[in-house]
Amino acid sequence: MQNVYADRLAAVQARVADAAHACGRDPAEVTILLATKTHDAATIRAVLTTPGAATVLRGENRVQELVTKGPALADLPTPTHLIGPLQSNKVNAALRWVTCVESVASARLADALSARVGPGRTLDVMVQVNVSAEQTKNGVTPDDALPLAQHVAALPGLHLAGFMTIGAHSDDQTLVRTGFAMLRTIRDTAVTNGLTTATALSMGMTSDLELAVAEGATIVRVGTAVFGARST
């Protein structure tokens, strides 16, 4: 089965490379994050130990899955990101396992992470922005993204790495791409305003990664294209 995962990952890497070349970018500028929601530790290990997985990231949507799978995967060097919502009462559990929280969508959560990250540690964080204004999606409004980013950047123990979004749930590629372009503009504005570390753009998934790469994604989050359909 590991060969199947290796082939699927190679196919995603080829998609990313083709998308980057199509818009004049270096494929090395785009990192693949494997979204491992609902997949068990043995399956995740099979993917992360394939030869082509040396540069990937791992992302979990739920803190409970971080906690459940963490011990079985702790020996792997793959950095782990939290890409789903985080409640303040689960911050301590998340901090044990993640190197980055991509889903910071409030000053309250940023404050909680800063307070609990612990001495001698710096946590990468991203501001999640709801570029599509869909009520089912988390994230601050585009107008609130820069103020939140400025707040995060001023907090001890946190390193503002960039911005994250989930593309519009639509078959209209123009609409989806417009949202990604909006996040890029937010990032560029942040950097221009002195938030020079906030260069990452985590956007694009299995269905729309080409559009995201064309608009400057530095991280694309892929699950089903490598793991297959989720169990729940």
Side-chain angles (χ1 to χ4, degrees), residues 114-211:
S114 175
R116 302 179 201 176
V117 71
R121 179 184 179 187
T122 300
L123 177 73
D124 284 347
V125 298
M126 298 186 194
V127 171
Q128 183 174 357
V129 186
N130 185 349
V131 297
S132 64
E134 295 170 342
Q135 293 185 355
T136 56
K137 289 184 170 63
N138 294 310
V140 296
T141 67
D143 287 344
D144 290 335
L146 183 57
L148 179 56
Q150 291 169 327
H151 179 83
V152 169
L155 292 172
L158 302 186
H159 173 263
L160 179 66
F163 298 86
M164 183 267 265
T165 197
I166 300 171
H169 183 64
S170 173
D171 293 329
D172 184 343
Q173 292 193 353
T174 299
L175 178 64
V176 175
R177 184 163 177 171
T178 296
F180 293 150
M182 185 183 300
L183 193 72
R184 174 172 45 79
T185 298
I186 290 169
R187 188 275 310 274
D188 292 348
T189 301
V191 171
T192 299
N193 280 271
L195 302 180
T196 56
T197 66
T199 55
L201 288 175
S202 177
M203 58 189 191
M205 297 187 287
T206 295
S207 62
D208 56 16
L209 69 85
E210 284 85 0
L211 301 177

